[in-house]
Every structure is written in structure tokens, then in C-alpha cells.
Amino acid sequence: MSEAIRLSEYPRAKRIDERQPPELRFSERAVQELERIKRHYPNKRAAMLPALWIAQREYGGHLPPEALMEVAYRLGTSYAVVEGVATFYTMYNKRPVGRVMLEVCTNLTCSICGGYEILRHLEEKLGIRAGETTPDGQFTLVEVECLNDCGNAPVMQVGNRYFGRLTPEKVDALLEELKNSEEHTVVQLADTIVQCHLSESERQDIERALAKAQAGSGGQDGQNG
Amino acid sequence: MAEQELVTIEINGIELQVPKGEMIIESAKRIGVDIPFFCYHPRLGKEQAANCRMCLVEAGTKQPDGSVRMMPKPQTSCTLPASQGLVVFTDTVAIQKARRGILEFLLINHPLDCPICDRGGECPLQNNTLFYGPGVSRFVEEKRHLPKAFPISDYVVLDRERCIHCARCTRFSQEISGDAQLEFLKRGADTMVSTFQNTEFTSRFSGNTIELCPVGALTSRVYRFRARPWDMKSQKSICTRCSNGCNIWLDYRPNRLVRVLGRENEAVNEEWTCDRGKFGHEYISSDRRLLSPLVRRDNRFVTASWVEVYQLIASRIRQAVEERGAGAVGAIGGAHLSNEEAYLLQKLMRVAVGTNNIDHRLERNQVAGGDTLLARLGVPFTQTAIADIEKAKTIFIFGADLVDEQPIVFLRARKAWFRFGAKVIIAHPEPTETELRFDEPLVLRYRAGTETTLINGLSHLILQSGRAVTDGISLEELQASLSEYTPARVAQETGVAEDALREAANLLGEGTVILCAGRVRNHPEYAVLANALVNLTLLTGNGSRGNGGLNILLPEVNSHGAADMGVLPDLLPGYVPVNDREARERIERIWKASLPAEPGLSTQGMLEAAAEGKLQVLYVIGEDIAQKYHDPELAQRALENAGFVIVQDLFLTDTAQYADVVLPAASVAEKEGTFTNTERRVQRFWKAMNPPSPDVKPDLNIFAELAVYLGKPLPVFSAEQVMEEIGQVFPAYAECCYDQMPAEGVRWMPTLTDRGK
Ligand code: SF4
Ligand code: SF4
Ligand code: FES
Ligand code: FES
């Protein structure tokens, strides 16, 4: 029988009860941040992009389905809509990634200036192919399009920083540095972006609120939602 | 509404006047110019998506000097509003080329598997390609491949390869049904339609996306490979699965229903159907249908001829009447019969048998027309026309999970909010799916059982605010009777916060539509609650004018019609009390018969009597009371102890297992007639197929023939004639004669009292 006629080979689609709130894992800080960011927009759904960044940070660098559900619930929209947005943008990681993400540009300028050599070098050095993660979960290597820093080609983005005019030697040194550093990680990038969405006074507010909650800990369990 | 401003435009050299702002794709239809399209759909969206680019036209504007200044690029006519002096060309060489280009582009990743595609034969992509497309494609590379025929629910199959990304389905699910379960994932060439993580597509309106999809990407799992469009005939019909009366098409092959499609009726369902309607008519072509009359012999059913069963029934009825009087016979059923049949049933019982023991209600309260609403508002059940719900200022959904109970009314309520900005209050003791379909509605989570307190509390607040209206109601008296319902007390009793109560009271006012369903109908103290609701309706000024009003939506397809037709123990057709002598005599003159003057037994009464062995003959028509009666045990005892049980149905139901005689009835597809929906709209349905066997008869024929055997023929020969007679007996139905009935049906207007709207 034609492939098109056989339906039974697919497992039955799982059903989700939308009336059941999903499991919520945002930290108190995340809740506070989202609360404030929501106020920047005419409706809370418009806060979807920063909310996804918060989620990416809270869920350790990528967005598992549970993270999408939590964001949908907190913004009062459907799971599918959030998944649609999250999958539209490439900087939201839908699959687990390493602690640090190495995004090597191989677009026109960079490839002329040796972008592919950098990529190959990294592949060899880390023992993985572009798109893969090292077994120890340290690095994920990705090939990306123009990072808009052609003047410094070849360029690589690592978390919240660009590294340009790369040579294999520079890359080696950088790898050593990154291994032992808390800087430029995937989670840190997410946090940097979240902080960009908050004003100085909002950030102070959050600190105060958190300190207060800390002081009276065990009492109020924050304003969820 | 204000007069619409007209503008003069020109399409392909023809000058015409159209309303300002009308989309050119619509204007072109006025002069029969065909503009191909995929994503455009007038009911979707405040704005069109305009993402398929199929509807391109060239456009320009007339300059004062008479010349035309063309826009530099083709425009999408689905988003090009008519303005004074607009000049449009739909068929230039450039447009022809553009269309070929668009189609070639859309087909790049299209699998072209028309021979095994359910859309084939009625596929816009096929048709447009045939008429406007290129003959060959320059794309020779590998197409993208994705899982085919992927079932996303029990009803819907998704073939992502065929999708042309028109966004009709996703827009429907976000804007119309509001569940937003379909969404585009990824981007660019990877874009695909999906549910969240491929979980089940549980929308209650999923079937509509199948109809909306302009290709075979979303197809029906039920209709799959059953027929080709050219193999089928279609007949206009009415959905029988709830009291909304959606207009549908029955598509059938000889004697087999293959699918149900939505049929346009602006006044009722626009063009939507719910999944219960779309996939819930399979029973019509079930092989388990009854095919001939059955009689019980030696505790087994054996087939019998109609003559035999009629004679048997007639003799048992006669015997019962002679021995115990006509009161020993009773009939239950009618909510699933057409108006004509329901009318004939009660006439049969009243004239040929001589009893008022007849009832169509199976719910606990057996709410009848002759109750609070009729007395105080002048309407039996509903004040607001379905189409007027969208004009509401505030929608108050009270104790109902509307998506589930009245899906199409829900769509209107949602439209009122989504399109026209109505405020929404939802009161329900438990979280409902309906709440999820609105953005932050005001939810009043009351404790079950405190319904009356809640409503009285709201009335009290409105009275206090001084906004109350004197509309057939004395505010002083009301004030006095409600004085104890202070917000504090009501909040304490119902569990709803005082603030929420105040907020709700503020939203209630003129133009408030109150929507109630099963919970209100079945409330233990229905009469008290109904009175409270009527008070609220009156003092918010929704008694006799405007679009606001109280609506107690009904359970079954013809619950309203059965009540109108007098399938009630105490009311004759047209809500005439049986003991109102003058009115009764008027009907007696039309029927040329004398009628019993004492109210008969209600369903509950009949079942109790039967359970005690006091009912000699129990006639059950189209209702599986052993299962569906609110107290099934009582129904079962009644069926066991009744002297003689006649069951008339499509199937050998649980109730039929108790029968002495089973009569096979025709389904809605096999007969004609009318149903009256929950807003009092009388709508026709037509015969599509023949019954599965020549021994299966429409209920109408069965009643008429039975009357002959009972020696009191009811001289009618067709549903049409019955409707004419109904018009005489109940003048509100006079406009419902078949030859006069407009396509939208007739919403009969209550002249029963001086109120009503
Ligand atoms: S969607 Fe239309 S064009 Fe595509 S395979 Fe099906 S019938 Fe053919
Ligand atoms: S599945 Fe059908 S309706 Fe939905 S986007 Fe694709 S082509 Fe359009
Ligand atoms: S090509 Fe690499 S940054 Fe532009
Ligand atoms: S119909 Fe106009 S762009 Fe699709």
C-alpha cells in the first residue's frame, strides 16, 4: 500500500490538557524580571522575545518544550504560538547545547579571509563536526552566516563577544581561556540580553525585591504569573 | 448604520461603484471578473495575510488631467482597498506572467500527488495551476520531503509537503476558534504548519481548517479516500448535534453519507461547523441501522410487517384506553423530531388517543416554555439572535462551558470580543476551556449552588449604583427584596471577591448578552434562579429593546421546536395552556376534534407511573431514555414495568431492548422537514438519500399511518402540508410555509405577550 495511505505507523498524537498549568521553573529573579518587562508593552504577549531569553537562561542554555510551555503560560498564550516564535529565531536553542557556543562565520568576507580554515581547525581541535557538541558538554561548534563584522574577518561569536582577525593560534589560546572562564557562556549571553531589556532603576528594584524576599524568606512566595 | 460612502473605480476598463475601502478582490466579483487567490478569506482576520501573492493585479489612480498613474509594481488585490479613481487591470501580460511565476514558485516544493490526494478535483491549487499556471517547471532539484499523511488528531491528517503556507489554518485557529493550536514553525523554506510538539490537535473546530485549506495539506481522516468530489451529490441540511441548527451540506454517494461540509448562513453559523457536526453524522450510514419493524416473541425480536405492527399497536392502545382510560397511554420524545413530526406526534396523542401524556424533555428540570421567561420576557428561551451576539457590549457567560455546550454560539461570543471589543465575564464554578479562549476575561469562580446569590448580588450592586432601568419592573420592590444581598455577604457565600463582583456589575448594562446552558436549565431551584436572571436582564435595560438579553440555550436539535409544537403535557402548539378553554376551542375547531382539557403527565410523571405499572402503553420516539434520561434507573424501571413499550428509533438502543415493538425510523438525511434552533429560527432540511431499506419510514409517515389504524386519520400527506396546518394553529409559524421560506430560515417573533423581541 502506498506510504500515503498508511496512517497507523505513526504513534497516536499525545494530548495536552490546556487547562492544566504546566510545571513552572522560573526562579524568583526571573519572575521579577518578566513582571517588569511585561510592563513595557501594550499586551503581555508582546514580551515574548525577552521572555524566551529569560527562559533560555533559566533552563540552562536551551529551550526544551517545558520552557516553551512555561513562557506560554506566563504570557497567556498558546504553546504552539510560542513554539512558532522560538523556532523562527535561530538564536533560541531548541536543542541542548554546550556551555559555550562557538559560532564561526563562513560567509563571503570571512571565507575569503580564512573562515573555513578556522572552522576546520576547530573541528579538528575539538574532535567534532560543525553543529555538534563536545562529549564533555563544553563546546558547541556552529557555522553561521555573516555576523556583520566583516572588517575583522574571519570572525567568531562566542556568547556575548565577537573575536575577530582569528588565526589558528589565537583560537587555541582562546579555547584555553574559555575552558576556565565563566565569561561568554550561552547562559551569560541570555542574561546579557535580558539585562538589556531592563533599565537601571528596574534592575535595582529587582535587587531590592529579591533582598526583601530573602529577608522574609519562607513567607510570601512571590507574585507568580 | 450610516450609509456607506461609494467610490467609482474601474476594473479592466469597466466603471463601477463600490463601497469605499472594499477590497478589489471583492469588487471584481461584482462584475464577474475572476481573480485567483489562495490565502484570502473574507472571514479571517481584521486584516488579510496577503502572503500567497496569487491575487496580484496592476493598479493606478486617475489623475485630474484624465491620465492614469500606475503603481510601479503589481498589488495584491486582497489588500487593495477601493478608493476614488482607482484603476485596476487583472489580466495584463505582466499579471499573467506574475501568476505563472507565483504558481511555479508554489509548486517548487509541492509533491504533485494529486492522484492520491483527497483535495484532487476540488483543489484551488490544481484549478489555479490549470488556468493560470505554467505548463512546466524549471525546478529540477530535489524537493523537500517531510512525513506524509501525518495524523494530528482523530479527524485531521496533515501532509506538510503539500502545504503552500497560506496561513489560513493558523489564522483560523488564532482568530476564529481562538485555541491557537496550529502555528508555523521555523522559517523560510523550512516553514511548516504544526501543533505544539506534534501533540494532538484538540480544537473543537478542527474540521473547519480542512475546509479552509486550499490544498490537500489538511484532510479529513474520516472522509479519507472515500470518494472523489465528482462522485458525490450534495444536499442542503441542518446539523442535528445541538440546538444551534448549523447549516450543512450532506455529501453522499448512493445511500452512503461520505462527509459533511459547512454551509453558509450569515444568521446562524456564518460558514463554520464544530467537529461534532462535521464528524458526528456517521450514524446515518451505520450498518447497525434498523431495517424493518421488530416485535418481541418469546423474548426475542423477530421482524414483522408494518401492517402487523400497526395492528398490534392499535389494539394495545385501544385496549388500554378501554380498560384504564386514555391516561394509561403516554409518549416521550420529540426533541429529535422535525417540527412537522413533533406536531403530528402530539396531535396523534391528543386526537387519536385522547391524552395529554406527552413530553419531549429528558432533563431534570424539564424547563418548559410556559415558565418564567415566557411570562416575564415574552420569549420561551432566548432573547438574542445568534448573529446579534456579536453586537453585544458585554458577554456574560453564566455557568456554561460554551465551547463545549454551544460551540457556534461560542464563536459569535468570541467574535464579539475579538473583532468588536466586547467585554467578557465568565462565571463558572470550575476552570473551563472557554476561559482560555479570551484574553484575561473577568472570571467569577463561584461555589456551585450559589448561582442565585451571585446573580442577586450583581443586581443589588446595579440597583445601588443608580444605573438600574425601570423596564417592566418595580425597582423599589426589587430593592427591598434584594436588600440582604450585600456585596460582603455575597462575596462570602459565593467565594467571589467583592472587587470582582463590583467590576462585573460595572460591566453589566444595556447591550449585555447573558448566555446560559445546561447548568442553569438543570439548577435545583431553576424557577428562583430564572427569576433572578430575568430581574438582572430587566434592570440592565435588556428587557424589550436592543441586542442584549437573556438566553437559556437548549440541549437538542429541536428542543425549541418540540416546545413550540406543544410536545408538552400542559401546553398545546403555540404555548396554549390545555386548560385555557377559549384557546383550546380554537384549536379544536381547526382540528375538528375535541381535546382533553386536563394537563397530562410530564416525562418524570409518565416514568413514575410506568414504574408503578400504571402506564399500559409507553411510546418512546427517538430518545434513548434508558441511557439519556437524567435518572436512567427510573427510566429503566419504567420500561420494565410499562404494560407495552413501543420504541421508534434508528438503532436498537438500550431503550429498544425493553420494547415490545420496535419501529425503524428514517434519519434526517432521508426525509424533509424543519427544525427550530435555539434562537427560534425555523430552518428547512431536504431529503438526500433513500432510507437504508424500504421498510424504514420517516417518523411523519409512521404517525400519520398509526392514526389511520387508530381510526382517527390525520389528513396530511406531506411535511409541507403539516407546516401549513401548523401555521394556522400557531400563527407565528405562518411565514414558514415551504414555498415562502427564505434561505436564512425564519426567526419567528413572539406575539405571545406584549413583551418579547
Ligand atoms: S493539494 Fe491539490 S495540487 Fe496538491 S496534490 Fe492535492 S490535489 Fe494536487
Ligand atoms: S496547511 Fe493548508 S491552510 Fe494551512 S497554511 Fe498550509 S496550505 Fe494553508
Ligand atoms: S562575512 Fe563574516 S562577518 Fe561578514
Ligand atoms: S489572496 Fe491576496 S495575497 Fe493571497
Side-chain angles (χ1 to χ4, degrees):
Chain A
M1 220 196 272
S2 146
E3 181 194 14
I5 303 177
R6 273 180 281 124
L7 293 177
S8 50
E9 64 190 51
Y10 297 104
R12 212 196 129 88
K14 219 176 82 203
R15 176 178 285 223
I16 298 184
D17 184 357
E18 298 162 89
R19 278 168 305 181
Q20 225 55 50
E23 200 192 317
L24 301 179
R25 281 172 41 189
F26 274 19
S27 63
E28 186 53 36
R29 175 181 296 276
V31 172
Q32 294 277 350
E33 285 164 348
L34 184 57
E35 256 334 291
R36 288 184 175 66
I37 291 175
K38 274 198 260 181
R39 289 184 212 142
H40 300 182
Y41 301 94
N43 66 58
K44 53 184 183 176
R45 234 170 266 184
M48 180 116 45
L49 297 183
L52 283 167
W53 280 116
I54 297 179
Q56 181 145 311
R57 185 192 71 200
E58 295 290 308
Y59 282 76
H62 82 289
L63 295 169
E66 297 73 39
L68 303 178
M69 290 166 83
E70 173 155 6
V71 168
Y73 178 78
R74 292 189 183 276
L75 299 184
T77 184
S78 86
Y79 300 154
V81 166
V82 176
E83 192 183 21
V85 173
T87 55
F88 185 88
Y89 294 101
T90 49
M91 283 174 76
Y92 295 121
N93 304 319
K94 270 70 65 180
R95 270 176 294 163
V97 292
R99 200 176 65 91
V100 176
M101 191 130 89
L102 309 168
E103 301 178 81
V104 183
C105 174
T106 55
N107 209 302
L108 187 64
T109 320
C110 288
S111 64
I112 292 173
C113 299
Y116 277 107
E117 275 116 70
I118 298 298
L119 186 67
R120 292 288 107 79
H121 179 76
L122 276 164
E123 284 185 337
E124 236 163 75
K125 180 100 190 176
L126 298 173
I128 53 171
R129 306 264 300 275
E132 294 176 350
T133 304
T134 52
D136 63 358
Q138 278 284 346
F139 296 107
T140 296
L141 181 62
V142 210
E143 180 180 357
V144 296
E145 302 305 332
C146 179
L147 292 169
N148 206 0
D149 190 22
C150 308
N152 287 320
V155 178
M156 164 162 88
Q157 179 178 359
V158 184
N160 53 3
R161 252 203 76 181
Y162 277 12
F163 296 90
R165 301 182 193 253
L166 292 172
T167 59
E169 297 71 43
K170 273 198 193 169
V171 168
D172 289 347
L174 183 59
L175 278 187
E176 279 315 308
E177 199 180 303
L178 288 170
K179 261 186 208 152
N180 310 312
S181 149
E182 283 307 307
E183 295 290 294
H184 319 312
T185 63
V186 176
V187 171
Q188 197 216 32
L189 169 67
D191 187 56
T192 308
I193 297 176
V194 173
Q195 299 315 322
C196 290
H197 279 87
L198 293 163
S199 70
E200 187 51 44
S201 67
E202 279 171 327
R203 271 180 249 139
Q204 287 165 3
D205 264 6
I206 292 171
E207 294 309 330
R208 266 197 297 277
L210 288 175
K212 208 163 138 203
Q214 193 76 43
S217 78
Q220 314 242 317
D221 54 342
Q223 334 131 260
N224 268 13
Chain B
M1 217 190 270
E3 270 292 297
Q4 261 189 316
E5 193 186 332
L6 293 180
V7 292
T8 306
I9 61 168
E10 206 183 287
I11 299 179
N12 295 350
I14 301 169
E15 214 176 78
L16 68 155
Q17 285 205 313
V18 299
K20 184 176 177 185
E22 180 180 82
M23 294 308 157
I24 293 303
I25 199 166
E26 286 292 331
S27 312
K29 288 184 194 160
R30 295 173 184 269
I31 52 166
V33 168
D34 187 28
I35 298 180
F37 62 90
F38 292 114
C39 69
Y40 172 69
H41 193 289
R43 283 183 220 283
L44 293 181
K46 296 173 191 163
E47 277 161 19
Q48 291 297 323
N51 59 357
C52 77
R53 318 311 283 181
M54 192 63 223
C55 64
L56 292 175
V57 295
E58 285 197 88
T61 32
K62 270 220 174 82
Q63 302 300 307
D65 63 0
S67 67
V68 175
R69 190 150 138 226
M70 295 302 288
M71 300 183 198
K73 284 183 186 167
Q75 304 291 314
T76 48
S77 61
C78 65
T79 52
L80 182 64
S83 57
Q84 184 63 35
L86 190 73
V87 177
V88 175
F89 298 98
T90 68
D91 208 19
T92 60
V93 175
I95 291 301
Q96 288 170 4
K97 189 166 174 226
R99 286 174 183 163
R100 275 199 300 278
I102 296 289
L103 280 162
E104 187 181 7
F105 177 69
L106 287 178
L107 291 175
I108 279 182
N109 272 323
H110 196 80
L112 293 173
D113 49 3
C114 309
I116 53 153
C117 175
D118 254 350
R119 245 320 188 202
E122 52 177 11
C123 173
L125 184 57
Q126 234 181 11
N127 295 348
N128 285 341
T129 304
L130 187 66
F131 293 128
Y132 305 103
V136 286
S137 170
R138 287 166 292 176
F139 187 80
V140 292
E141 289 78 6
E142 176 84 11
K143 299 192 178 215
R144 87 164 165 163
H145 289 297
L146 290 163
K148 291 192 76 68
F150 186 79
I152 50 175
S153 77
D154 289 346
Y155 301 131
V156 186
V157 180
L158 173 62
D159 184 325
R160 292 186 172 117
E161 289 185 348
R162 291 185 192 142
C163 174
I164 59 167
H165 310 114
C166 70
R168 275 183 167 199
C169 57
T170 54
R171 282 188 288 153
F172 175 85
S173 82
Q174 281 162 35
E175 293 167 6
I176 308 288
S177 67
D179 46 67
Q181 288 185 5
L182 288 182
E183 184 47 286
F184 283 128
L185 300 190
K186 311 206 181 170
R187 56 154 86 178
D190 295 329
T191 311
M192 60 182 191
V193 167
S194 185
T195 53
F196 175 69
Q197 299 280 314
N198 287 326
T199 50
E200 189 174 341
F201 183 28
T202 54
S203 165
R204 303 194 182 247
F205 303 93
S206 68
N208 295 296
T209 62
I210 298 171
E211 275 184 63
L212 284 170
C213 181
V215 296
L218 291 164
T219 53
S220 160
R221 205 166 164 179
V222 179
Y223 165 69
R224 209 170 154 70
F225 304 136
R226 277 228 196 136
R228 281 302 194 184
W230 55 83
D231 298 331
M232 297 184 286
K233 288 177 94 176
S234 300
Q235 181 57 282
K236 291 186 267 186
S237 195
I238 301 294
C239 175
T240 57
R241 297 303 307 267
C242 82
S243 62
N244 194 76
C246 288
N247 291 218
I248 54 172
W249 289 104
L250 297 178
D251 281 1
Y252 59 101
R253 301 180 72 167
N255 295 327
R256 182 154 199 98
L257 181 76
V258 289
R259 70 173 175 188
V260 170
L261 297 182
R263 181 161 65 91
E264 263 185 64
N265 187 338
E266 237 29 85
V268 183
N269 53 319
E270 301 182 86
E271 69 181 64
W272 316 124
T273 53
C274 75
D275 285 356
R276 235 180 296 170
K278 179 133 15 230
F279 303 107
H281 288 86
E282 292 290 296
Y283 71 87
I284 291 174
S285 294
S286 159
D287 344 314
R288 302 202 358 262
R289 287 278 299 272
L290 289 167
L291 299 177
S292 71
L294 303 173
V295 291
R296 186 181 291 281
R297 270 205 199 107
D298 306 328
N299 240 342
R300 277 186 33 236
F301 283 126
V302 293
T303 56
S305 74
W306 279 99
V307 176
E308 275 174 75
V309 291
Y310 282 147
Q311 281 173 344
L312 177 61
I313 295 169
S315 76
R316 292 303 294 255
I317 291 182
R318 257 190 243 115
Q319 188 193 347
V321 175
E322 273 161 28
E323 285 174 10
R324 299 252 200 111
V329 181
I332 298 172
H336 288 93
L337 297 177
S338 72
N339 286 321
E340 294 77 359
E341 291 162 349
Y343 172 84
L344 218 58
L345 167 64
Q346 57 84 32
K347 194 173 168 191
L348 171 80
M349 294 306 286
R350 287 180 165 130
V351 174
V353 180
T355 177
N356 278 323
N357 289 348
I358 170 158
D359 205 339
H360 70 279
R361 298 163 301 184
L362 301 188
E363 293 191 325
R364 161 173 172 167
N365 279 318
Q366 322 212 321
V367 177
D371 70 357
T372 328
L373 264 65
L374 193 58
R376 298 187 59 199
L377 295 173
V379 296
F381 308 101
T382 48
Q383 284 186 293
T384 318
I386 292 174
D388 287 341
I389 294 174
E390 66 186 51
K391 299 185 193 144
K393 292 208 185 82
T394 300
I395 303 270
F396 182 16
I397 300 172
F398 179 54
D401 191 1
L402 217 52
V403 192
D404 184 28
E405 294 179 72
Q406 297 283 338
I408 296 294
V409 170
F410 158 77
L411 288 188
R412 288 282 184 171
R414 190 170 188 283
K415 189 174 175 188
W417 164 74
F418 187 80
R419 280 293 261 272
F420 304 114
K423 298 279 184 296
V424 182
I425 310 172
I426 299 177
H428 202 285
E430 288 139 32
T432 60
E433 191 182 324
T434 309
E435 286 158 39
L436 300 173
R437 304 296 174 244
F438 299 91
D439 269 2
E440 305 185 6
L442 176 57
V443 176
L444 309 178
R445 188 83 66 225
Y446 61 84
R447 276 186 210 110
T450 61
E451 286 82 359
T452 310
T453 313
L454 177 67
I455 297 298
N456 281 339
L458 292 171
S459 294
H460 177 86
L461 277 167
I462 296 169
L463 280 168
Q464 279 198 323
S465 72
R467 289 190 299 121
V469 179
T470 324
D471 184 2
I473 191 170
S474 152
L475 294 184
E476 288 75 44
E477 269 174 42
L478 202 58
Q479 195 117 40
S481 72
L482 295 181
S483 59
E484 62 199 83
Y485 290 94
T486 57
R489 196 195 127 199
V490 172
Q492 206 220 338
E493 247 174 67
T494 60
V496 179
E498 249 188 85
D499 285 351
L501 285 173
R502 280 181 210 282
E503 201 184 332
N506 277 337
L507 292 176
L508 297 171
E510 217 165 302
T512 295
V513 170
I514 307 177
L515 299 167
C516 323
R519 263 175 186 274
V520 168
R521 293 196 308 266
N522 287 308
H523 192 270
E525 283 167 10
Y526 169 76
V528 185
L529 177 58
N531 257 313
L533 282 163
V534 171
N535 288 341
L536 180 63
T537 308
L538 291 177
L539 62 84
T540 46
N542 294 304
S544 49
R545 58 207 138 79
N547 297 317
L550 176 59
N551 302 281
I552 299 191
L553 303 164
L554 295 173
E556 304 296 348
V557 55
N558 209 24
S559 293
H560 207 306
D564 294 352
M565 293 303 114
V567 188
L568 290 165
D570 51 347
L571 296 172
L572 291 165
Y575 302 91
V576 169
V578 287
N579 43 21
D580 174 344
R581 217 187 75 202
E582 219 171 285
R584 190 180 68 239
E585 282 174 359
R586 188 182 73 83
I587 295 179
E588 286 179 334
R589 279 196 296 281
I590 301 173
W591 286 352
K592 302 191 180 64
S594 67
L595 298 174
E598 282 303 306
L601 298 173
S602 67
T603 309
Q604 180 74 11
M606 278 186 264
L607 292 179
E608 280 167 9
E612 288 163 22
K614 290 195 205 136
L615 211 59
Q616 293 266 62
V617 178
L618 180 59
Y619 187 6
V620 185
I621 306 104
E623 302 289 355
D624 189 3
I625 54 171
Q627 287 288 334
K628 299 252 182 72
Y629 193 61
H630 74 88
D631 178 358
E633 247 163 63
L634 172 65
Q636 288 159 15
R637 258 187 297 130
L639 288 162
E640 257 163 41
N641 295 322
F644 185 72
V645 177
I646 310 158
V647 172
Q648 182 170 319
D649 211 313
L650 272 64
F651 296 97
L652 205 59
T653 56
D654 282 357
T655 306
Q657 305 294 348
Y658 295 89
D660 295 287
V661 177
V662 182
L663 305 177
S667 76
V668 64
E670 297 143 10
K671 62 189 184 188
E672 64 167 349
T674 59
F675 290 130
T676 305
N677 77 355
T678 192
E679 55 154 356
R680 305 196 294 276
R681 186 173 301 277
V682 185
Q683 303 190 91
R684 268 199 80 180
F685 60 89
W686 285 262
K687 177 177 167 177
M689 304 179 268
N690 282 323
S693 125
D695 271 340
V696 174
K697 292 178 191 241
D699 301 79
L700 192 81
N701 300 30
I702 301 175
F703 300 140
E705 289 165 10
L706 194 53
V708 174
Y709 279 83
L710 285 169
K712 291 267 180 61
L714 311 169
V716 283
F717 301 98
S718 68
E720 184 168 3
Q721 283 177 339
V722 178
M723 185 46 91
E724 266 161 39
E725 190 181 311
I726 295 172
Q728 289 170 27
V729 174
F730 184 15
Y733 272 64
E735 286 167 60
C736 302
C737 289
Y738 287 7
D739 49 0
Q740 288 177 18
M741 176 107 70
E744 296 216 320
V746 174
R747 181 164 183 251
W748 66 264
M749 281 303 150
T751 45
L752 302 163
T753 66
D754 52 351
R755 302 192 72 86
K757 59 178 182 181

